[in-house]
Amino acid sequence: MNWYVLYTKPKWEKKVAEQLQAIGIDCYCPLVMKERQWSDRKKKVEVPLFNSYVFIKGVNEKARFKDFNSFVAFLQYNN
């Protein structure tokens, strides 16, 4: 099966991955730990490695994602 790339709204990568897993679609959203600085503290948070991208396996039909308000488009390229 082929892997496809979903382009999501900014900062919605983890939410989209959770929604996809909930309906049984195999997806991949790589996360990395980064230390963020606030005015009063530092905190380690998980952030997506690729901003606004979620990888899915075997599903390339846009119609299956019409109910997702966070889905923007499939990433496409020309061969």
Side-chain angles (χ1 to χ4, degrees), residues 12-24 27 29 68:
W12 279 71
E13 304 88 353
K14 290 195 276 186
K15 294 173 194 157
V16 170
E18 289 172 5
Q19 291 174 345
L20 291 170
Q21 289 174 346
I23 62 170
C27 66
C29 182
F68 286 74

Side-chain angles (χ1 to χ4, degrees), residues 11-77:
K11 310 272 188 215
W12 279 71
E13 304 88 353
K14 290 195 276 186
K15 294 173 194 157
V16 170
E18 289 172 5
Q19 291 174 345
L20 291 170
Q21 289 174 346
I23 62 170
I25 296 176
D26 191 17
C27 66
Y28 179 62
C29 182
L31 302 173
V32 293
M33 274 306 223
K34 289 203 174 179
E35 191 172 87
R36 299 291 176 158
Q37 174 78 40
W38 280 267
S39 61
D40 59 340
R41 68 186 184 283
K42 290 182 182 180
K43 186 176 181 181
K44 290 187 179 186
V45 294
E46 280 188 327
V47 295
L49 184 60
F50 305 108
N51 294 332
S52 296
Y53 296 111
V54 175
F55 302 91
I56 60 171
K57 189 173 186 178
V59 180
N60 64 348
E61 300 138 7
K62 210 178 218 183
R64 288 199 60 183
F65 303 101
K66 66 181 179 180
D67 296 332
F68 286 74
N69 60 354
S70 54
F71 165 72
V72 176
F74 275 101
L75 187 66
Q76 297 178 344
Y77 62 92

